[in-house]
Amino acid sequence: MAFPRGGLRRLRPAPPATGPGFAEMFAALPVAVLVIDPDGRIAHANAACEAMLNHAETTMIGQPYDAVLSPPDGYVDRRDGHGFAAFDTEIEAIRGPRIRVDFVETMVADHPGWRIVTLHHAPQSRRVAQGADRTAGARAAVGAAAMLAHEIKNPLSGIRGAAQLLASSGEDRELTGLITTEVDRIAALIDRMQDFTDTRPLKLEPTNVYPLLDHARRLALAGFARGMVIEERFDPSLPPVLIDPDAFQQVMMNLVKNAAEALTGLAQPRIVLTTAYRHGMSVSTGAGRPRQPLPIEICVMDNGPGAPEDIAEHLFEPFVSGKPEGKGLGLPLVEKLVRDMGGIIQYARERAPEMTVFRILLPRAKA
């Protein structure tokens, strides 16, 4: 990693013999960094940048900048010799997904024409903060839903009992059957609402997620995902995760079922389960709160069409659904369970190939 005639090390005085060199520290930065030379070609990229762009530094070096990364809107109109910044913007990695980042380009002092570009996943932390800001409202909604569910189930039981009595006395069985069926449907919806309103703390424990992922995969292939392909792309060195195993199993089954339903009618339906360890990944859970490390990444991906654009930002809100028969409670329950385990979940559409991604970030278990 070097600028010409002496390299990257010339930017700072030589470090003490006992400490790491500047190049080593550059490589270890948790924020994605690109160094661009005066000809607009990539001179250096650190490890975080390689992971974000899905591109090795050795293949990026010497490439024109726009051959690796599509910069954000407004970049081409920037003033020469000045920096540029775009926050919460979407960029496209040529070999990777479309991602939302804070994009900041600065000029390198004493090195005319040289630039440094940093890409930061700040929108992730903003979304977590937004989730934290909704906590008070969510609690009020949960309380109202719990009370409503309790009050509705009592008269429903009476209606169902009356329908059964009518049926046993020889009255119109078709009509009474319809009443019973609709009452059962409403009761099932209320049961799901009560799952959503359960405020009991989860029992978190160090867990190997792979048996749980394998169980979810086998159940899916034996049932709702029969005839589909479910691929596994796992990091074999993933450490134990701090989760509630039952809650995690419920999260995975909901996400895989969602993926399977999104693939209905596709000629080559495919679901992909992935795991990865993201060094340096941490998020802020609210203003004034310390950042929490969430290095465990688990993704459920499918090659379906994804959510309609008008509801993509609201998928984790109750009663929002892109399915004609959807109730809009599955993903809010998933988000609640993930949040109760100290993690976050995100929805994204990625390209090359086109995939729908639900990404879960969780804390690792301490030794």
Side-chain angles (χ1 to χ4, degrees), residues 72-94:
D73 293 339
Y75 179 80
V76 294
D77 299 323
R78 72 193 188 287
R79 295 171 59 192
D80 288 338
H82 292 76
F84 176 86
F87 298 97
D88 198 7
T89 187
E90 190 170 70
I91 63 172
E92 182 174 1
I94 303 305

Side-chain angles (χ1 to χ4, degrees), residues 162-313:
Q164 289 174 324
L165 284 175
L166 286 173
S168 64
S169 65
E171 299 294 332
D172 190 332
R173 293 183 180 277
E174 182 179 353
L175 182 57
T176 55
L178 178 62
I179 294 172
T180 302
T181 299
E182 289 304 296
V183 167
D184 288 345
R185 185 178 65 83
I186 296 171
L189 175 60
I190 291 173
D191 286 340
R192 296 201 69 185
M193 289 175 61
Q194 288 180 319
D195 287 340
F196 179 65
T197 60
D198 189 351
T199 57
R200 290 174 297 178
L202 299 179
K203 297 179 181 179
L204 304 182
E205 58 188 61
T207 306
N208 178 359
V209 297
Y210 290 120
L212 301 177
L213 293 174
D214 181 63
H215 183 65
R217 178 179 176 275
R218 287 188 289 108
L219 283 179
L221 290 175
F224 53 78
R226 186 185 300 275
M228 297 183 181
V229 174
I230 300 183
E231 298 179 15
E232 295 177 339
R233 302 177 189 171
F234 292 162
D235 178 352
S237 62
L238 201 70
V241 187
L242 190 63
I243 56 173
D244 180 303
D246 291 337
F248 180 81
Q249 190 74 74
Q250 186 173 1
V251 165
M252 293 307 302
M253 291 303 298
N254 278 6
L255 292 179
V256 175
K257 189 173 188 293
N258 267 9
E261 291 174 348
L263 299 175
T264 302
L266 263 66
Q268 295 180 317
R270 183 162 59 99
I271 300 172
V272 182
L273 306 179
T274 72
T275 65
Y277 191 88
R278 300 300 184 191
H279 294 275
M281 174 62 72
S282 63
V283 299
S284 172
T285 56
R289 298 179 183 175
R291 297 180 68 84
Q292 299 294 325
L294 298 176
I296 307 296
E297 179 188 273
I298 299 167
C299 296
V300 178
M301 305 188 292
D302 67 76
N303 62 336
E309 290 188 8
D310 58 332
I311 67 169
E313 293 293 324

Side-chain angles (χ1 to χ4, degrees), residues 114-163:
W114 287 84
R115 293 167 285 156
I116 292 178
V117 173
T118 59
L119 306 170
H120 200 287
H121 275 298
Q124 294 179 350
S125 59
R126 289 194 192 111
R127 290 187 184 118
V128 175
Q130 290 166 3
D133 291 341
R134 292 197 303 266
T135 299
R139 284 178 183 156
V142 164
M147 181 180 67
L148 184 63
H150 177 74
E151 293 302 321
I152 289 176
K153 288 190 84 171
N154 287 334
L156 280 179
S157 297
I159 293 170
R160 194 179 196 284

